[in-house]
Amino acid sequence: MRIGIVGLGLIGGSLGLDFRDQGHFVVGVSRQPHTCDRSLALGVVDEASVDLKAVQDCEVIFLCTPLNVLVKTALAIVPDLKEETIVTDVGSAKTTIVEALEPHCPNFIGGHPMAGKAERGIDVAQRGLFANNPYVLTPTATTPPKAIETLRHLIDQLQARYYTCSPEQHDRAVAWISHLPVMVSASLIESCFQETDPAVLHLAQNLASSGFRDTSRVGGGVPELGRLMAEYNSTALLYSLYAYRQVLDRFIQQVETQQWPALEAVLEHCETHRPDFL
Ligand code: NAP
């Protein structure tokens, strides 16, 4: 199959490596000539260009740019495509993207591979990034079944775990397990700077070990990605943030009023049910 990838970074590059391994012909488009050269050198693509027209003969196109340029980029490509060309994106928020693109592209399906890294760019693209991780498609009532089938086959080739749901369900679910954790983890790091004694803050920085490394990881990631998640999934994120604030208030109250058994009961519930998510 001739596959187009627009946006050659971590996700686009990793898709290119896996699809080439499966024998597909991969055409990449990126904004900077340097990124195109690196993609060729790293074996991510068979052909690379800064011209969006390069993907117009592809059977399937993956849009892998940052969220804020995704719709604009797609709308620039769509008029040159054949009617049967399947277009999908990998953005981490779905409702706004699907609503903007579906009316212009009959074979558009939103998608989101649930795999990533703290770093970005073509140099951190990785073979097998998606294997054993969820990959969700968000078709709607008007999505052609043939397009879903074709993408499902490609997702199977990535050895990812295939799911489907509506764009709205996707956004609510990822708010809980991806977008809220970024905000919570960032607020943890930010809270430490409320320490007024510089000596204590310095000591805390020296004593921080595996626990802080785990809990601060997603909050200390690429700022632009966190901001775009919040911007493009603000409704669902706000819903989860308000719920989180209620839980935090309950913890404060339990500590203030020394309700240790009640606090322990919540922590027991968390210990029992954490595996439900992992
Ligand atoms: P990334 O590593 O920064 O890659 C994005 C690439 O898009 C950049 O390398 C950039 O290449 C290119 N680009 C930027 N503007 C462009 C434009 N106007 N036209 C063409 N190419 C353009 O980011 P990423 O982590 O792969 O994320 C890409 C998408 O995947 C985002 O929509 C994000 O929501 C989604 N996603 C990310 C993760 C994650 O954990 N990182 C996980 C799942 C989904 P140049 O060097 O050419 O500018």
Side-chain angles (χ1 to χ4, degrees), residues 109-172:
I109 311 183
H112 185 193
M114 303 297 302
K117 280 189 189 182
E119 306 97 334
R120 63 198 304 195
I122 191 64
D123 286 298
V124 293
Q126 183 186 307
R127 266 194 179 78
L129 182 70
F130 310 101
N132 303 315
N133 285 315
Y135 195 130
V136 59
L137 293 183
T138 61
T140 66
T142 59
T143 309
K146 173 93 173 55
I148 303 174
E149 217 177 281
T150 304
L151 280 177
R152 183 183 182 148
H153 172 67
L154 290 172
I155 291 169
D156 285 346
Q157 289 192 328
L158 299 171
Q159 292 176 18
R161 289 188 280 124
Y162 170 79
Y163 293 91
T164 57
C165 63
S166 72
E168 296 78 14
Q169 282 177 317
H170 165 276
D171 287 356
R172 283 185 69 160

Side-chain angles (χ1 to χ4, degrees), residues 54-134:
V55 293
Q56 68 186 14
D57 292 327
C58 292
E59 291 145 86
V60 180
I61 297 174
F62 286 79
L63 302 165
C64 305
T65 66
L67 274 170
N68 57 330
V69 289
L70 224 145
V71 169
K72 188 181 76 173
T73 309
L75 293 178
I77 299 173
V78 165
D80 294 322
L81 300 181
K82 293 186 221 112
E83 211 185 305
E84 62 272 21
T85 308
I86 297 165
V87 181
T88 186
D89 76 303
V90 299
S92 58
K94 295 275 60 90
T95 309
T96 50
I97 305 279
V98 173
E99 281 176 359
L101 292 184
E102 213 176 42
H104 301 277
C105 184
N107 279 309
F108 176 78
I109 311 183
H112 185 193
M114 303 297 302
K117 280 189 189 182
E119 306 97 334
R120 63 198 304 195
I122 191 64
D123 286 298
V124 293
Q126 183 186 307
R127 266 194 179 78
L129 182 70
F130 310 101
N132 303 315
N133 285 315

